[in-house]
Amino acid sequence: MPAVPPKRLFIFGLGYTAKAIARQAAPRGWEVVSTGSDGTLSFDDESNVRLALADADHVLSSVPPGKEGRGEPLDPVLERYGDALKGMPLSYLSSTGVYGDTGGAWVDESAPVGTGRRTARAEADGEWLKLGARVYRLPGIYGPGRSMLDRVRDGRAHRIALAQQVFSRAHVEDIAAGVVAGLEGPTGAYNLADDLPCGQNTLVEEACRLLGLPLPPLQSIEEARLSAMARGFYAENRRVANGKARRVLGWRPRFPTYREGLRALSATTSPTVANAAPANASSDQR
């Protein structure tokens, strides 16, 4: 029998998460072409980008929207290549920040968007949905080299005295698995978040426990001298439900909570730390 030709996945913006997607897509028969500093094409090389798009079976964008108030395009990809994307199978990496602050309440894909600080992201999210894309709303992303373990080791972790603050997160490999599962799945919005939202302090405390390091002091936001971006993070409070991705895409996170995720990362960098085996994945909380 003749060999099956590879499917071609074009990625705009081969960054941290998109690289994980590319790694997982390759053994499933996808050949990846991409833009970005580590990609195969320059975003501005319009002639070659358009040739590659014409030959693609699916297009994924991880490019964030332009910065508000600076005259930048709402979405650089749609601004420059939107005409070439019409009618194509599409995916877009968005953010659960589109839901804004819910006071700690659970949100799913039916919740209203655009009420929070990520208004540009919410508008871009909507534009990709209008094009018929699979839009993945992502929470705090962590993984190798980008986790609370690294922040604690480097002395950059903070414990902030906000008892009710809670948020969702997801391991980068689980996000990649969800996106790859959706490449041939139904269009629409999907939350890719773990099963156990918690406060940032809980995450810091678990990382310190795994590393055998002392806890950073408990501080107010003012005492911690956080950046404006970090302050914005603490201003929003929500729990993100992942039931749709589970039901529709058959997605099951390998790291269903921060405990399994941090434990696995700790084992790869601190082999002397004795850890129990990961618990089984928790069930769908919806």
Side-chain angles (χ1 to χ4, degrees):
M1 295 180 62
V4 177
K7 297 167 287 187
R8 291 181 174 85
L9 173 62
F10 188 101
I11 298 178
F12 281 108
L14 192 67
Y16 184 72
T17 302
K19 287 178 181 178
I21 294 168
R23 286 194 299 271
Q24 292 198 26
R28 290 166 175 79
W30 289 90
E31 180 182 85
V32 176
V33 179
S34 58
T35 70
S37 58
D38 293 324
T40 54
L41 290 172
S42 167
F43 181 84
D44 296 325
D45 185 359
E46 188 162 338
S47 60
N48 282 321
V49 167
R50 288 183 177 273
L51 283 173
L53 288 174
D55 202 33
D57 296 293
H58 199 108
V59 177
L60 165 73
S61 175
S62 71
V63 177
K67 295 180 180 178
E68 297 173 272
R70 297 191 182 183
E72 297 180 11
L74 170 64
D75 187 292
V77 172
L78 296 182
E79 177 82 8
R80 189 154 190 177
Y81 297 108
D83 61 311
L85 300 178
K86 293 178 181 177
M88 294 192 68
L90 303 171
S91 292
Y92 175 65
L93 303 189
S94 184
S95 165
T96 56
V98 301
Y99 297 120
D101 178 32
T102 69
W106 286 92
V107 291
D108 63 15
E109 294 83 355
S110 67
V113 302
T115 59
R117 59 193 173 94
R118 297 288 188 90
T119 54
R121 175 67 84 176
E123 290 180 36
D125 180 298
E127 290 302 312
W128 282 93
L129 284 174
K130 288 177 186 176
L131 280 177
R134 298 142 185 84
V135 172
Y136 301 96
R137 293 172 179 162
L138 310 180
I141 302 169
Y142 73 99
R146 293 192 184 186
S147 77
M148 187 55 70
L149 296 169
D150 301 285
R151 296 184 67 84
V152 167
R153 284 193 197 96
D154 298 343
R156 295 180 290 115
H158 295 281
R159 286 197 305 148
I160 304 299
L162 289 174
Q164 303 304 314
Q165 198 267 349
V166 64
F167 76 107
S168 294
R169 70 203 54 76
H171 193 289
V172 67
E173 296 298 334
D174 283 334
I175 291 171
V179 173
V180 171
L183 288 174
E184 296 177 358
T187 62
Y190 297 93
N191 294 333
L192 297 179
D194 74 8
D195 295 339
L196 187 62
C198 71
Q200 184 84 334
N201 291 350
T202 302
L203 206 62
V204 173
E205 290 158 9
E206 178 67 3
C208 288
R209 185 188 71 80
L210 288 169
L211 295 171
L213 295 175
L215 295 174
L218 193 64
Q219 299 175 302
S220 67
I221 287 181
E222 291 72 23
E223 289 171 332
R225 298 180 180 179
L226 299 177
S227 67
M229 182 178 293
R231 284 172 176 261
F233 164 79
Y234 281 102
E236 293 185 349
N237 185 12
R238 62 182 164 266
R239 292 172 168 86
V240 179
N242 62 24
K244 181 180 177 182
R246 286 176 171 274
R247 292 191 306 272
V248 178
L249 303 179
W251 177 70
R252 296 293 183 273
R254 179 183 173 191
F255 306 103
T257 81
Y258 67 89
R259 297 188 187 101
E260 293 87 356
L262 290 183
R263 189 180 301 140
L265 292 170
S266 175
T268 62
T269 57
S270 305
T272 59
V273 178
N275 294 320
N280 292 331
S282 58
S283 60
D284 185 357
Q285 294 190 27
R286 290 186 63 213

